[in-house]
Amino acid sequence: MSDTFRIGAFQFLIKPIDKDEFRKDFNRAIEQYKVNNYRYIVKYKDSTATLEIKDIIYIEAYNRHLFIFDGINRYECIGKLKDEEKKLSFYGFVRCHQGFLINMAYIKIIDKTLILLKNGDNVPISKRLRSKVMEDFNRFITRNIV
């Protein structure tokens, strides 16, 4: 068993292998691999940055520009928050305001008008989106605890 930790195994199959269980386990492993290894590419003017999804804390939209925050750097590109929301919702991101998309893994406190993130930043939460954020966050927490 200690060898499995040394080589970094993250999924196991138990013998004898049942075909139906194998399909479920294999699909779950592929989905987990995608979540852990997805790269987000930011292109702006003459520069290109490649970020790991798990490192992105939030994305802010302003005047057709997107500002991506990873806790250390702020990256800029041109785009629509709606398009990023479609791409990133699978990876635990939720729209909390007209101009903000946040990674739920970084949520510390959800208040009435603000979300406090683990890095200390505050992000606004709109009244209209608050119930959806709460639902998505509860689902996210449940999925990542079990």
Side-chain angles (χ1 to χ4, degrees):
M1 186 153 155
S2 63
D3 289 340
T4 60
F5 292 109
R6 241 188 320 281
I7 64 170
F10 77 103
Q11 296 288 321
F12 296 92
L13 291 174
I14 298 171
K15 293 178 184 177
I17 297 173
D18 176 85
K19 287 181 184 179
D20 292 331
E21 286 299 315
F22 173 77
R23 282 191 194 102
K24 284 188 233 174
D25 291 341
F26 183 76
N27 289 335
R28 186 184 71 244
I30 293 297
E31 292 305 314
Q32 188 62 46
Y33 180 82
K34 287 179 186 177
V35 168
N36 292 342
N37 294 287
Y38 183 77
R39 303 280 187 222
Y40 186 80
I41 298 170
V42 181
K43 294 180 182 180
Y44 186 66
K45 296 185 180 177
D46 293 332
S47 67
T48 302
T50 303
L51 309 172
E52 290 188 35
I53 286 291
K54 65 181 177 58
D55 294 335
I56 298 172
I57 299 172
Y58 65 95
I59 301 174
E60 181 179 1
Y62 183 75
N63 278 349
R64 295 187 316 184
H65 287 252
L66 299 174
F67 301 95
I68 298 98
F69 296 86
D70 69 359
I72 299 168
N73 300 302
R74 180 181 113 161
Y75 303 90
E76 181 179 354
C77 64
I78 295 174
K80 296 178 182 176
L81 200 58
K82 188 175 187 173
D83 296 339
E84 302 313 300
E85 182 181 7
K86 286 178 188 174
K87 279 194 276 186
L88 297 173
S89 64
F90 174 79
Y91 300 98
F93 284 75
V94 66
R95 182 92 165 254
C96 63
H97 187 273
Q98 178 180 332
F100 287 89
L101 185 64
I102 60 171
N103 184 340
M104 290 186 281
Y106 289 94
I107 293 176
K108 186 173 183 178
I109 298 170
I110 300 175
D111 201 355
K112 195 170 185 176
T113 59
L114 289 173
I115 296 174
L116 176 63
L117 301 172
K118 291 177 182 176
N119 71 339
D121 288 352
N122 289 314
V123 175
I125 183 169
S126 71
K127 288 180 185 178
R128 182 178 60 86
L129 294 173
R130 191 172 192 286
S131 62
K132 182 185 182 318
V133 170
M134 293 301 292
E135 281 178 32
D136 288 355
F137 184 60
N138 286 331
R139 206 173 307 117
F140 176 81
I141 292 297
T142 303
R143 188 178 74 218
N144 289 300
I145 289 176
V146 176

